[in-house]
Amino acid sequence: MSSAASRPGVGPFDRAHTDDLMAFLTASPSPYHAVASAAERLEKAGFRRVEETAAWDATSGGKYLIRGGAIIAWYVPEGAAAHTPYRIVGAHTDSPNLRVKPQPDMGAQDWRQVAVEIYGGTLLNTWLDRDLGLAGRLTLRDGSHHLVNIDRPLLRVPQLAIHLDRQVNDGLKLDRQRHMQPIWGIGEVHEGDLISFVSAEAGVDAEDVSGWDLMVHAVDAPAYLGRDRELLAGPRMDNLLSVHAATAALASLAGREDLPYIPVLAAFDHEENGSEADTGAQGPLLGNVLERSVYARGGSYEDRARALAGTVCLSSDTGHAVHPNYAERHDPTHHPRVNGGPILKVNVNQRYATDGSGRAVFAAACEKAGVPWQSFVSSNDMPCGTTIGPITAARHGITTVDIGVAILSMHSARELCGADDPYLLANALVAFLEG
């Protein structure tokens, strides 16, 4: 652990930030809800929405745009030059889960079921015998979208009783097609039943629905855990914890005209399946926003090049805290602890984008905020995951640093972090965005 200061959490955020994170997680069962929740917080701070199809002007202040499950937000200080560099916090809005197929109505043995597809690298067993809701968006015939959130026990993926699989505790084997289809009732299956039900819940006519992006979520609420409530259990921390922290950090800078950089939030969708989407980090969305912001302020291609050359991005995503039952799976000299502050993620094979220069930027931000931080590296005999960090660095040619919060049970339907780490991260992000 690197001790940047003896008094962690000096900054605008404290444990109340973690309380608000819990509300954010509950309100954000899908990427579409997550960007709506982030936009609501930004609106309260004075940010205004801009449309990609409209002309942009040179006005200062906070702005944001939404495309599907992605949101880009930025704050232009009064008088910012066209070549002013950016300070970006990157994150992602999606989490591994079960997603509804185009023909969802199915069943067997008088059970009514919903056909789902596995999204991302989810821990399948964590979805078993759990009360599940359904959320996402409906697309209407006129092209508009309607959010829907059925946040009550509706679905369940039932596990086979041990009496019918005596060896189950010696190794659970789940067939992704046959064993993961949830039940939601009994009786005869009728085509169109699910979408008719969901449409009614959303208050729209089923005949007007021409498409949907629906996904399953666990309905148990986030909760403090432990004797001293020093832990937080909840869904979708990977990576809504970072989206929430970055949104709060950016909103806290509204009205600041002394900023040497233009602070940016870039929260993408589809990170969990490779980022190759128009709303993913592989797409042109972030680059388009940065360029258009330069040009809207009267800048040239030269100004754009100067701005990007001085830009730094923190790619904020969760990482692995040392697991008490599997310590041998971690690098022996790097054991990130919960409530030990954010982690700096390093991989020399560029699964993370951090280098020595990036480390210095992150360390300076943590020192300024009075926030402790830690280093993370994977064991040499374990494959290393990746993030939007290397993608952002390579696509836009900007210095990128991979950071995050250490958690347990990553990609579970319900994950675990230290209750102090969310606000420690947020405070570090404020210091970074301030420059």
Side-chain angles (χ1 to χ4, degrees), residues 49-355:
R49 182 171 181 173
V50 298
E51 300 295 337
E52 291 185 82
T53 55
W56 293 5
D57 57 38
T59 57
S60 59
K63 306 174 184 182
Y64 72 92
L65 66 82
I66 291 174
R67 181 192 287 186
I71 182 170
I72 311 291
W74 62 103
Y75 183 83
V76 181
E78 184 72 36
H83 62 268
T84 301
Y86 300 94
R87 281 287 174 101
I88 304 168
V89 178
H92 66 88
T93 60
D94 60 319
S95 301
N97 57 16
L98 313 178
R99 302 206 172 186
V100 176
K101 289 182 176 180
Q103 297 178 0
D105 299 293
M106 63 174 293
Q109 306 302 319
D110 206 37
W111 290 100
R112 297 168 66 193
Q113 295 175 278
V114 175
V116 296
E117 191 173 3
I118 311 301
Y119 178 83
T122 188
L123 283 170
L124 296 179
N125 66 293
T126 66
W127 294 93
L128 303 179
D129 297 334
R130 187 183 290 274
D131 295 338
L132 305 171
L134 198 63
R137 68 177 182 179
L138 300 174
T139 301
L140 306 186
R141 294 188 184 279
D142 61 3
S144 63
H145 301 293
H146 198 101
L147 295 183
V148 58
N149 181 13
I150 306 172
D151 194 32
R152 66 177 188 271
L154 176 70
L155 305 143
R156 186 179 179 93
V157 183
Q159 190 167 191
L160 186 64
I162 193 171
H163 312 79
L164 304 178
D165 184 4
R166 294 291 185 179
Q167 283 73 50
V168 64
N169 289 326
D170 297 325
L172 176 64
K173 300 292 184 182
L174 292 171
D175 184 287
R176 296 164 70 89
Q177 177 62 36
R178 293 187 297 120
H179 298 155
M180 296 304 299
Q181 310 305 323
I183 60 173
W184 72 304
I186 56 176
E188 190 175 346
V189 175
H190 298 284
E191 184 178 353
D193 270 359
L194 181 71
I195 298 308
S196 293
F197 169 76
V198 174
S199 300
E201 289 285 318
V204 300
D205 192 329
E207 293 184 356
D208 291 333
V209 176
S210 58
W212 51 86
D213 301 281
L214 299 172
M215 58 205 71
V216 168
H217 68 276
V219 299
D220 22 352
Y224 288 111
L225 186 146
R227 185 194 66 180
D228 300 318
R229 294 163 56 88
E230 70 269 55
L231 301 172
L232 176 66
R236 300 177 294 281
M237 291 185 186
D238 179 12
N239 187 33
L240 294 189
L241 188 158
S242 294
V243 174
H244 177 259
T247 301
L250 180 60
S252 75
L253 299 180
R256 290 278 301 275
E257 306 303 342
D258 59 336
L259 300 173
Y261 302 97
I262 295 173
V264 180
L265 158 68
F268 301 100
D269 198 357
H270 295 299
E271 189 273 347
E272 296 293 357
N273 60 4
S275 295
E276 293 185 344
D278 68 318
T279 53
Q282 291 272 23
L285 184 58
L286 175 60
N288 288 347
V289 169
L290 301 183
E291 289 183 356
R292 291 184 69 178
S293 179
V294 169
Y295 299 149
R297 285 174 281 124
S300 63
Y301 180 85
E302 182 72 10
D303 291 315
R304 170 199 172 277
R306 292 174 65 188
L308 293 187
T311 293
V312 181
C313 173
L314 290 189
S315 166
S316 183
D317 205 344
T318 54
H320 303 295
V322 62
H323 197 300
N325 299 335
Y326 301 92
E328 73 281 359
R329 301 296 182 98
H330 300 264
D331 182 84
T333 59
H334 295 78
H335 280 180
R337 314 284 178 173
V338 298
N339 288 334
I343 56 175
L344 178 73
K345 302 158 77 170
V346 176
N347 180 266
V348 295
N349 293 304
Q350 287 297 290
R351 301 293 284 174
Y352 303 132
T354 306
D355 63 9

